[in-house]
Amino acid sequence: MKIVAGNSNRALAEEISSYLGAPLAKCQVRRFADQEIFVELQENVRGEDVFVLQSTSFPANDHLMELLIVIDALRRSSAKRITAVVPYFGYARQDRRASGRTPISAKLVANLITHAGAHRVLTLDLHAGQIQGFFDIPTDNLFAAPVMTRDIKERYSTDNVMVVSPDVGGVVRARALAKRIDAPLAIVDKRRDKPGESEVMNIIGDPSGRDCILVDDIVDSGGTLCNAAEALLAEGAKSVTAYITHGVLSGGAVARVSSSKLKELVITNSIEPTAAVLAAPNIRTISIAPLMGEAISRTALEQSVSSLFG
């Protein structure tokens, strides 16, 4: 087994490498003067089982091209099997045609990865589970729930915790976490008038006196979370903490979260945290390296990955 890392999240790649006890393969990813990407594998990969670690986070197009070019270099170097390990799968929110004359970009990206030469894909908390069906190769969608569950149990008395879905679409994800910690479930019913803005309309459930845990897959602008926190506190919640898998946190999101009524925003390192995220007083990062490392190890040994979440 060999592990090749792109430039999107070197810190996570090194953590996974350390967990597996396998050093990162020597691979140079650099730019020409006109910013074209050039990849050179600096060790033999012929006949090897290779895992390419690369989140397609901001800048999404650059990191996606890096992933595709690394896969192509491995295919042309006669790697036996290539697994694209994509902790954060960019373009996942474009998984259907929301209106006329629009693309399904998630399907296009799936086609690109497949045709580049990947034999398998490992990803984490896809925005929509059906994106697995966009790939014509085996795709394992891991879940951050075990990592979050461990952290919640270490910090909260689960007798007083309530899990909250910030919208109707995330109920399945929130219910799964609530079941793990044996906590009740509430739902925030919101209406979005235009992209990037949301208005909380109603809380389905009684959060009075509870430590509320908001659960979602992506935090981008942070508007939904901050509005949901205010609505829950207005309904009598004791505190509101958010556990989100992918901390996109674009634009002024970090400042918005820092000045909000959220007790804490907990994100994973599926996307490399920026300096602003690391400096924020109420944003904390937990590592998915052991989870991803174990999934990689089981894939290499042809063992069950789904049993990680049983």
Side-chain angles (χ1 to χ4, degrees):
M1 178 176 66
K2 285 188 182 290
I3 305 168
V4 176
N7 291 328
S8 71
N9 198 339
R10 294 289 298 190
L12 175 60
E14 286 166 6
E15 273 193 67
I16 292 172
S17 168
S18 176
Y19 177 87
L20 292 169
L24 294 175
K26 294 176 183 177
C27 175
Q28 187 178 59
V29 182
R30 57 187 175 87
R31 298 286 195 279
F32 288 118
D34 63 354
Q35 296 305 300
E36 282 186 5
I37 296 164
F38 176 74
V39 169
E40 183 181 6
L41 300 166
Q42 297 178 321
E43 59 183 78
N44 182 32
V45 295
R46 185 179 296 273
E48 296 280 3
D49 190 6
V50 185
F51 293 82
V52 184
L53 291 162
Q54 178 83 332
S55 282
T56 51
S57 51
F58 176 85
N61 299 333
D62 285 3
H63 289 153
L64 175 59
M65 280 304 299
E66 273 188 26
L67 173 63
L68 298 175
I69 294 170
V70 169
I71 291 171
D72 184 72
L74 289 165
R75 178 173 61 86
R76 295 176 188 278
S77 302
S78 302
K80 181 181 179 182
R81 183 174 69 171
I82 304 165
T83 302
V85 182
V86 190
Y88 172 67
F89 184 80
Y91 287 100
R93 285 173 282 182
Q94 299 182 48
D95 63 327
R96 64 193 183 282
R97 296 189 69 190
S99 60
R101 297 176 294 281
T102 56
I104 304 179
S105 303
K107 171 59 176 168
L108 173 62
V109 172
N111 288 346
L112 289 170
I113 292 172
T114 302
H115 288 288
H119 298 99
R120 184 178 210 96
V121 173
L122 253 174
T123 187
L124 177 72
D125 274 339
L126 281 171
H127 184 62
Q130 62 266 26
I131 293 173
Q132 291 175 87
F134 291 178
F135 289 91
D136 295 324
I137 53 178
T139 302
D140 289 310
N141 181 30
L142 309 180
F143 303 102
V147 180
M148 293 178 176
T149 299
R150 190 179 306 115
D151 193 79
I152 291 168
K153 286 183 175 179
E154 287 174 357
R155 293 171 182 271
Y156 291 91
S157 168
T158 52
D159 295 338
N160 196 48
V161 163
M162 172 175 269
V163 176
V164 183
S165 173
D167 54 35
V168 175
V171 170
V172 173
R173 183 179 294 105
R175 186 185 291 123
L177 183 67
K179 186 177 179 181
R180 281 178 174 272
I181 62 175
D182 194 23
L185 177 68
I187 304 165
V188 178
D189 173 34
K190 75 175 193 297
R191 181 174 301 163
R192 189 186 299 274
D193 294 324
K194 56 184 179 180
E197 294 184 9
S198 64
E199 181 184 359
V200 173
M201 302 298 291
N202 190 31
I203 305 293
I204 303 170
D206 182 14
S208 299
R210 299 271 191 174
D211 291 310
C212 291
I213 306 290
L214 281 161
V215 179
D216 210 351
D217 61 322
I218 295 173
V219 54
D220 191 346
S221 66
T224 295
L225 282 186
C226 296
N227 289 347
E230 288 186 13
L232 288 164
L233 290 168
E235 291 288 324
K238 182 180 176 183
S239 69
V240 182
T241 300
Y243 277 77
I244 313 293
T245 305
H246 308 297
V248 176
L249 297 169
S250 58
V254 173
R256 190 174 293 113
V257 170
S258 296
S259 61
S260 73
K261 294 181 180 180
L262 276 171
K263 177 183 176 182
E264 190 176 42
L265 168 61
V266 182
I267 56 176
T268 76
N269 57 347
S270 64
I271 297 173
E272 189 164 19
T274 62
V277 169
L278 294 173
N282 62 341
I283 300 179
R284 181 165 57 89
T285 304
I286 54 178
S287 180
I288 54 165
L291 175 66
M292 302 298 294
E294 186 62 28
I296 289 170
S297 175
R298 292 188 180 201
T299 300
L301 296 171
E302 304 292 351
Q303 296 175 347
S304 170
V305 173
S306 61
S307 60
L308 278 170
F309 310 101

